[in-house]
Amino acid sequence: MELTTFWFAVIAFLWTGYFVLEGFDFGVGLLLPVLSRGEAERKQVLGTIGPVWDGNEVWLITAVGAMFAAFPAWYSGLLSAFYLPVTLVLAGLIVRGVGLEWRAKVHHASDRAWCDLGILVGSGLPAFLWGAVFADLLHNSATAALVGGVFSLSVCVLHGAVFVALKTSGPVRTRARRTAMVTSAVALPVAVVALSNIPTARTAAADWTASPLLWACALAAMAALAAGVALTWRGRDGWAFTATASSIALGGLALFGALWPAPLPGLTVAGAASGPYTLGMLTWIGLIALPFVLGYQAWSYWVFRKRLVAGVS
């Protein structure tokens, strides 16, 4: 495998990991006022992401950093073309981080309410804008960007609701499962529209022969999302979360498959890549560092795997 192909696959993996992990983070932030009744339940909901949300954001930093090092022309072209939405994403992440960190340090209800608002807005902006950015990148259409934004927002809410159901007990878990079922009424139809348009984004034909692997990924993503809803309805929270996470991962695979080998209009992966020496050095660094990062994050999820009960720290 050529190093350009290898690093494109690495970047696709990092972005997809970010979508999967930050997806439920954003969903939990958006659902905070919906799932909680009182301060104890708010702490219970936020406690589901408390130990992991900042670690999940590292995936974005690593993905963008890898783009900068391995494909500087792709990095500069993407961030320049979408300067405003990317700036709004960063602003949302900052506001969200401040809200999550400060909430535990303030004592007045009005101050906590401002923190909750920051968490809500800071979760909603990236959840919508990332979908809009990548949909517009594929289709160069405002309508496609709107559909992509609604798709990513609704899937994040569904993914977050399933995660809260997995991580909590009592009334919050019941509300989370109910919210997941309600959200699926929007997420599933929009997912069919958004995902079915990924394989045809860079081709003139809409048949299976044009891009069979992309169609397979897109259809599998739709099936996994529907399976997540069905499993939630049956109370199989762990399998439901696996299904929604798999749906996002398969959608990410279809997305970056559609971007290969031209991640930007008029720019190929080969034309955007750094020199062979740079890619070689990056490969050695990545092979050494990435297993440690993945291992540490897997360990942190294992440590904080238990369900949370309202009022119990």
Side-chain angles (χ1 to χ4, degrees), residues 3 8 18 28-29 33 43 51 69 71 103 145 147 185 232 236 254 262 296:
L3 288 180
F8 183 87
Y18 171 70
V28 172
K43 289 181 178 180
F71 301 101
R103 199 183 191 285
V147 173
T232 298
R236 305 293 296 274
Y296 171 78

Side-chain angles (χ1 to χ4, degrees), residues 60-178:
L60 174 62
I61 298 170
T62 309
V64 175
M67 288 177 65
F68 172 76
F71 301 101
W74 183 16
Y75 166 88
S76 60
L78 179 65
L79 269 63
S80 297
F82 298 100
Y83 181 82
L84 179 58
V86 170
T87 300
L88 290 174
V89 166
L90 294 177
L93 292 176
I94 292 169
V95 170
R96 174 173 170 265
V98 171
L100 287 167
E101 290 291 345
W102 275 72
R103 199 183 191 285
K105 298 175 175 63
V106 297
H107 304 289
H108 298 289
S110 58
D111 294 332
R112 288 195 295 267
W114 280 108
C115 291
D116 292 346
L117 179 62
I119 295 169
L120 176 67
V121 174
S123 298
L125 276 175
F128 177 85
L129 289 172
W130 280 131
V133 164
F134 281 99
D136 188 68
L137 181 63
L138 282 177
H139 300 282
N140 192 27
S141 164
T143 301
L146 179 61
V147 173
V150 173
F151 164 66
S152 61
L153 182 67
S154 60
V155 169
C156 283
V157 173
L158 176 58
H159 194 39
V162 172
F163 181 73
V164 173
L166 172 65
K167 291 288 293 179
T168 61
S169 59
V172 169
R173 181 190 180 198
T174 302
R175 292 187 205 110
R177 292 179 58 195
R178 187 184 305 123

Side-chain angles (χ1 to χ4, degrees), residues 199 208 211-223 250 253-254:
W208 285 86
S211 47
L213 292 179
L214 298 188
W215 274 111
C217 290
L219 291 173
M222 298 178 208
L250 289 164
L253 186 60

Side-chain angles (χ1 to χ4, degrees), residues 219-297:
L219 291 173
M222 298 178 208
L225 195 65
V229 175
L231 289 164
T232 298
W233 180 71
R234 296 188 61 184
R236 305 293 296 274
D237 300 323
W239 286 108
F241 181 73
T242 301
T244 55
S246 299
S247 176
I248 297 173
L250 289 164
L253 186 60
L255 168 65
F256 284 94
L259 291 176
W260 172 268
L264 289 175
L267 181 68
T268 64
V269 170
S274 296
Y277 178 79
T278 301
L279 292 177
M281 290 297 296
L282 287 173
T283 301
W284 283 109
I285 294 171
L287 290 175
I288 294 171
L290 193 58
F292 288 99
V293 174
L294 295 177
Y296 171 78
Q297 190 153 35

